[in-house]
Amino acid sequence: MNIKSVILAAGKGTRMKSETTPKVLHQIMGKTLLGYVLDNVKHFSSEEFVVVGHHADEVEKFVKDNYEHAQTVLQSPQLGTGHAVSMVCPYLENFDGFVLILCGDTPLIKEETLKDFIEFHNNTNSDLTVMSTIFENPTNYGRIIREKDNSLKCIVEEKDATSEQKAVKEVNAGIYCLNWGKVKNAFSQLKSNNAQGEYYLTDIISWGKEQNLNVNAFILENSDEIYGINSRSNLATATKIMNKRNLEKYMEQGVTIVDPDSTWISEDTKIGQDTIIYPATYIEGKNIIGKNCKIGPCAHLRGGVEVCDNVKVGNFVEVKKSKICSNTNVGHLSYIGDSELGQRVNIGAGTITANYDPISKIKSKTILKDDVKIGSNTVLVAPVTVEEGANVGAGSVITKDITDWALAITRAPLRVIENWVKRK
Ligand code: UD1
Ligand code: CA
């Protein structure tokens, strides 16, 4: 079946109270909310439409830079979730497959769940399927209202709900699968006679019932997955849920996490067996960590980091966009950015790769070949290469390439002035 996805990302996200960042570009461990949703659909959907509106330029740039078969569609002004989908209708005029609709602010949904959802839609010969779940505290979500025979009736938004309807704990996840050919006409017929004066996407349920379509709900057991992000507090909760899920996965794969309560590891990190992650470590973005490594305590991997086997990245070490080959140690208090470190390299405490020139705004690379030893408190001013086996004396500032097996040292000679203190 040909599946196309529509991701709603035009809303203002008023409740986030953000001046600078559209809601869907807020991040969980180095990845945007929208990025999570797009990553989850890109393997099975043939094309993605991201509806943009608020901060449209930024969202558009993000989509263009990162997702090949996704395109953005402008919704301006933003008149509601149903209106948002109607913006995509012209692009789908002759399409006759499934359209999966998701919200850009619901990043915890898993790819497997979406596949199960589509399979359910297919197996039940549904024309329209909505994902629902049970929340002990359903406040702010649309409520799923059922008929006496338990079949679907409609979805009622919090702001439109009677107190009886508010007591319903089955909520709308905001994820739908439509047989496009059968449901597309709904979008020209939605009305905005509700508390918010918006065209609600949720009204397609009652529309489908009126048209005698086969309308079903897929009830998701793990309600965490559809947790929507509307506020900073929601963002923090979602980050916790995501992190817990990730840490469980790594432990299952044979990674020791000494203290799950203080460790943060992104979904897009791969970690080899028998690696130990010590407390207060924060790993964001995409990274690969090998086997038998020791990371932390208090290490920060910022993405684009590749660490081979038997590597130590010790306390208060920050690493960004760098490759560290096997048996290398970066023990303490260092910054390694835009660098390549060979095998058996030793980095003394307090070593800094000075990768950024704030005047030209250019970032440059530091390359340390196999068996290089860097003394403590060294600054490696990039671009710079230290060839195989060379040593750098403690406290040096290295501004030129160093030949193999050499000793480089920029330290001022030590002077000892006898009895200087007594004379003073
Ligand atoms: C929506 C659903 C609600 C559901 C909840 C699940 C509607 C009317 N309500 O409520 O039933 O329980 O999601 O999380 O659909 N957006 C646009 N254009 C607009 C308005 C919104 O693109 O004109 C986008 C937003 O950027 C967001 C998504 O649609 O990504 C959902 O909008 P939001 O305002 O967050 O809806 P909720 O109140 O959460
Ligand atoms: Ca929402």
Side-chain angles (χ1 to χ4, degrees), residues 3-6 8 81-82 85 98-103 114 117-118 121 127-132 142 144 152 155 157 171-179 183 187 200-205 215-216 218:
I3 302 166
K4 299 201 180 204
S5 305
V6 174
L8 307 184
T81 47
V85 177
F98 291 170
V99 171
L100 182 68
I101 302 176
L102 308 106
C103 293
L114 292 173
F117 176 60
I118 293 163
H121 176 81
D127 297 313
L128 201 179
T129 308
V130 56
M131 192 183 290
S132 74
I144 302 281
L152 288 185
I155 298 174
E157 291 304 293
V171 303
N172 169 25
I175 298 172
Y176 315 78
C177 188
L178 318 182
N179 277 6
V183 185
F187 295 99
Y200 287 166
L201 174 55
T202 46
D203 286 347
I204 59 172
I205 304 299
V215 182
N216 292 294
F218 170 92

Side-chain angles (χ1 to χ4, degrees), residues 222-334:
N222 179 10
S223 56
D224 278 354
E225 283 187 47
I226 66 115
Y227 188 76
I229 294 168
N230 298 315
S231 64
R232 306 278 179 158
S233 166
N234 293 158
L235 184 65
T237 303
T239 306
K240 278 225 167 89
I241 296 171
M242 171 74 74
N243 189 47
K244 188 162 189 286
R245 181 198 285 177
N246 297 347
L247 297 181
E248 288 296 335
K249 175 184 79 182
Y250 297 125
M251 289 191 276
E252 191 114 326
Q253 292 168 353
V255 175
T256 294
I257 311 278
V258 175
D259 178 23
D261 289 337
S262 70
T263 302
W264 301 84
I265 308 179
S266 63
E267 178 180 76
D268 295 333
T269 294
K270 290 199 172 74
I271 310 179
Q273 245 176 330
D274 293 310
T275 281
I276 304 176
I277 311 288
Y278 290 94
T281 289
Y282 188 72
I283 301 177
E284 58 185 329
K286 285 187 188 163
N287 309 279
I288 302 173
I289 299 170
K291 295 180 186 166
N292 286 308
C293 294
K294 292 190 160 100
I295 311 291
C298 304
H300 183 190
L301 273 55
R302 286 174 42 204
V305 173
E306 188 183 343
V307 172
C308 302
D309 300 342
N310 306 307
V311 165
K312 190 173 170 211
V313 174
N315 27 199
F316 303 103
V317 171
E318 174 180 339
V319 188
K320 184 215 81 172
K321 245 190 185 170
S322 294
K323 179 169 181 179
I324 303 178
C325 293
S326 56
N327 299 298
T328 283
N329 290 334
V330 190
H332 342 256
L333 302 154
S334 290

Side-chain angles (χ1 to χ4, degrees), residues 346-360:
N346 192 68
I347 303 287
T351 294
I352 305 294
T353 57
N355 60 328
Y356 182 59
D357 176 350
I359 294 171
S360 66

Side-chain angles (χ1 to χ4, degrees), residues 156-229:
V156 177
E157 291 304 293
E158 173 90 22
K159 285 180 180 149
D160 301 293
T162 62
S163 53
E164 196 186 333
Q165 289 168 330
K166 278 185 185 155
V168 172
K169 290 181 175 172
E170 187 181 1
V171 303
N172 169 25
I175 298 172
Y176 315 78
C177 188
L178 318 182
N179 277 6
W180 188 247
K182 294 248 181 88
V183 185
K184 64 179 176 188
N185 289 334
F187 295 99
S188 54
Q189 293 170 32
L190 293 177
K191 298 199 175 65
S192 59
N193 51 350
N194 51 55
Q196 304 188 76
E198 289 184 355
Y199 297 92
Y200 287 166
L201 174 55
T202 46
D203 286 347
I204 59 172
I205 304 299
S206 47
W207 180 88
K209 296 290 288 188
E210 279 162 25
Q211 307 290 314
N212 286 318
L213 297 183
N214 186 8
V215 182
N216 292 294
F218 170 92
I219 306 176
L220 185 63
E221 248 173 64
N222 179 10
S223 56
D224 278 354
E225 283 187 47
I226 66 115
Y227 188 76
I229 294 168

Side-chain angles (χ1 to χ4, degrees), residues 10 51-54 74-80 83-84 87 199:
V51 182
V52 300
H54 245 268
L74 185 68
Q75 182 202 16
S76 177
Q78 294 89 39
L79 304 178
H83 179 250
M87 299 294 110
Y199 297 92

